[in-house]
Amino acid sequence: MKWPNHGGQPEEMQQLFGIEKDTQMLDFSANLNPIGPPDWVKEALNNHYHTITQYPDPTYSHTTTSLADYEGLDKDQVLLTNGGSEAIFLVAKYFENGKSMIVHPTFLEYERACHHYHIETEDVFYKAEEKFQLPLTCMLEKLPNTDVIFLCRPNNPTGTVIKEEDLRRLLEEGMKTGTTVVVDEAFVDFLPTTIPSLTKWLSIYPNLVLLRSLTKMYTIPGLRVGYMMAHKDMIKVLREEQIPWSVNSLVDAIVPRLLDDTRFVEKTRTWLNEQSKYMFEELTNLGYILSPSKVNFYLLQDKMQVETDELFRYLLNHGIVTRHTHNFKGLNGTFIRVAVRSKEENEQLLYVLKKWRNEG
Ligand SMILES: Cc1ncc(COP(=O)(O)O)c(C=O)c1O
C-alpha cells in the first residue's frame, strides 16, 4: 500500500480505500486550527489585492520589524520565510555536508532537508513506553559527532513538549561540542501560557535556532508564512542564501495584524483547553492509549485491538479520516494521529470509537 506522505488529503484516502466520492468525510488528519483564519483576513486580502501587481520589498522590512517587535528581538535576528518549510531547508543548507541528529517520530521534512543538503543523519527515538520523553543520555553521547540537532517542540506527531531542563542540558553541552540545536516551534502558539516559547533563550544560547510557522494557528497554509530566529551572524548568511522574493507581497497586509490579534489566539486556547480535556477523559475511559499531548492533535492507539490499520480503516468507513503513521520512523503505523476539532466533530469521532469498542 502506498500511504500518502502528509495529512489533510481526505480525497486521496477515499480513493485509496475505495470509498464513494460523494461520501461526506470529517478530516481529523490535518493539524490546522479549525477556528481560523480570523474573520478579518478575507477583507484584508481583498483590500490589498493591488499589491500582487508589485514586487514585495526584498527585505520585507515592515513585516520583519513587526515580527522582531513581537518577539522582543532585533531585526537582524529574524528572517521571514516561505512557511516553516523554507526555514527548515534554509537552516539545513547552513549545515550542508555536515552531520545531524533527528529524534523520531517527528516531522518528516527535517530528514528530507538533511538528505537534500547531503547531511548525514543519525536517528534517535522517543519511545511510547517512556511517554515520548527526550532520549537525553543517548543524545549527549552522540553530541561530539553532531553539527546540528533537529527538534520539534511541541512535537509533531506526538504533541509532546520536551522538558526545559533536558533542552538546557543539550544546549549547554552543545556549546562545548559545537552543536547547534534547531527547535521547530510551529505549534508553540497552541500551548497553554504556562509553557512559554524559547525566544528568551536566544540571548543565552548562541547555538539555538528557532523556527516558526503561522500556518497552523491561523489556518493559512496557502499563504506560506514562517520565520526563523537565530544569532544575527547565521541570519545574515541565510538571508544571502534565500531565493529573492521568496515570500508573497500580501504578508505586510496580514502578518502585523495577525500578531496583534491576541483575542483570536485566546479564543483558540479556550476551545482547545476545553475540547482536549474532554476528549482525553472520554478516550482514556474507553481504554484508548493517547500520547500526552499538549496541543491540537494526539496519537491514539487501541489497547485491546493491536491492529491500528483496522481501526484506521473502520474510521474511514464511518466517514472519519485520521493521519496514518506508517511513514513516521519509530511508529510505523502503530498509532494514528488525530486532530482536536469542533465539539460536534469530536462527538462524532467519539461516537464511532465507542461503536468500534462495542463491536470489538
Ligand atoms: C512541525 C512542523 N513544522 C513546520 C511545518 C511546515 O509548515 P509551513 O511550511 O506550512 O509553515 C509543519 C507542517 O505540517 C509542521 O508540522
Side-chain angles (χ1 to χ4, degrees):
M1 158 102 62
K2 169 97 180 71
W3 294 89
N5 276 338
H6 294 279
Q9 303 174 73
E11 294 85 13
E12 198 171 330
M13 278 299 172
Q14 265 172 287
Q15 216 175 4
L16 203 63
F17 285 86
I19 291 173
E20 289 229 353
K21 244 185 166 179
D22 298 336
T23 316
Q24 272 295 94
M25 303 298 283
L26 290 181
D27 186 9
F28 280 81
S29 70
N31 43 19
L32 298 165
N33 184 352
I35 293 176
D39 296 337
W40 55 264
V41 168
K42 193 169 181 189
E43 198 187 338
L45 287 174
N46 272 336
N47 291 343
H48 288 80
Y49 174 73
H50 62 280
T51 63
I52 67 165
T53 63
Q54 298 149 9
Y55 275 96
D57 158 18
T59 65
Y60 298 95
S61 176
H62 181 54
T63 292
T64 308
T65 304
S66 346
L67 287 168
D69 291 349
Y70 174 76
E71 298 287 357
L73 297 173
D74 290 336
K75 233 172 115 176
D76 55 10
Q77 291 174 282
V78 179
L79 182 62
L80 180 70
T81 58
N82 188 285
S85 304
E86 190 193 19
I88 294 167
F89 275 72
L90 272 176
V91 80
K93 164 84 185 148
Y94 191 86
F95 294 96
E96 192 159 16
N97 300 316
K99 290 181 175 170
S100 73
M101 198 193 306
I102 300 178
V103 196
H104 299 278
T106 196
F107 189 47
L108 307 173
E109 299 299 326
Y110 313 135
E111 185 173 71
R112 230 165 61 85
C114 285
H115 289 168
H116 186 79
Y117 288 110
H118 312 286
I119 299 170
E120 244 180 66
T121 52
E122 170 87 46
D123 294 338
V124 291
F125 293 91
Y126 297 107
K127 295 202 178 98
E129 57 275 23
E130 289 166 9
K131 295 195 163 36
F132 300 104
Q133 288 295 315
L134 199 71
L136 186 64
T137 313
C138 153
M139 292 179 77
L140 290 173
E141 277 166 19
K142 295 176 192 295
L143 226 48
N145 201 27
T146 306
D147 300 308
V148 57
I149 302 176
F150 284 90
L151 295 173
C152 189
R153 183 182 190 267
N155 186 38
N156 179 7
T158 59
T160 49
V161 179
I162 299 164
K163 283 192 215 150
E164 280 197 6
E165 70 236 46
D166 288 357
L167 208 48
R168 276 193 198 282
R169 184 76 200 284
L170 266 188
L171 284 159
E172 270 152 27
E173 292 303 314
M175 285 208 281
K176 296 177 203 158
T177 56
T179 308
T180 296
V181 181
V182 176
V183 184
D184 181 350
E185 295 191 314
F187 292 94
V188 76
D189 297 322
F190 292 96
L191 287 176
T193 46
T194 47
I195 311 177
S197 93
L198 302 173
T199 309
K200 288 205 167 72
W201 292 25
L202 287 166
S203 60
I204 312 168
Y205 302 110
N207 57 336
L208 173 63
V209 176
L210 297 178
L211 311 184
R212 290 287 184 81
S213 163
L214 300 196
T215 295
K216 308 293 181 177
M217 170 53 81
Y218 301 103
T219 332
I220 50 170
L223 267 185
R224 314 301 310 131
V225 192
Y227 56 105
M228 180 192 304
M229 298 179 279
H231 191 278
K232 62 180 176 33
D233 294 346
M234 182 190 267
I235 295 290
K236 190 165 177 234
V237 171
L238 292 181
R239 209 185 287 287
E240 291 296 314
E241 293 291 346
Q242 192 173 28
I243 60 166
W245 300 292
S246 91
V247 183
N248 67 71
S249 56
L250 291 160
V251 286
D252 282 351
I254 303 296
V255 175
R257 273 188 78 178
L258 285 177
L259 300 175
D260 271 347
D261 196 347
T262 49
R263 237 190 309 152
F264 176 78
V265 177
E266 273 164 31
K267 187 170 137 193
T268 300
R269 285 189 178 139
T270 306
W271 148 77
L272 180 59
N273 181 34
E274 212 175 88
Q275 284 306 303
S276 57
K277 244 191 214 152
Y278 174 63
M279 292 303 281
F280 269 63
E281 252 175 53
E282 293 287 317
L283 291 170
T284 311
N285 286 341
L286 284 171
Y288 289 101
I289 297 173
L290 309 183
S291 60
S293 168
K294 297 267 186 283
V295 286
N296 56 322
F297 53 87
Y298 50 92
L299 289 178
L300 180 144
Q301 187 183 55
D302 188 345
K303 201 161 25 186
M304 295 166 218
Q305 303 271 351
V306 188
E307 274 304 324
T308 304
D309 282 354
E310 259 179 56
L311 174 58
F312 178 88
R313 203 182 288 261
Y314 183 88
L315 288 168
L316 209 55
N317 286 333
H318 287 77
I320 289 173
V321 190
T322 58
R323 170 71 162 92
H324 73 87
T325 59
H326 281 278
N327 56 351
F328 283 107
K329 280 187 181 173
L331 292 180
N332 310 318
T334 52
F335 283 83
I336 48 174
R337 193 191 68 198
V338 183
V340 182
R341 304 279 312 169
S342 70
K343 186 169 171 13
E344 295 68 32
E345 289 168 309
N346 292 335
E347 291 289 0
Q348 182 61 24
L349 172 67
L350 271 178
Y351 170 78
V352 180
L353 284 171
K354 274 182 197 159
K355 195 163 137 68
W356 158 268
R357 170 65 72 242
N358 292 336
E359 288 172 15

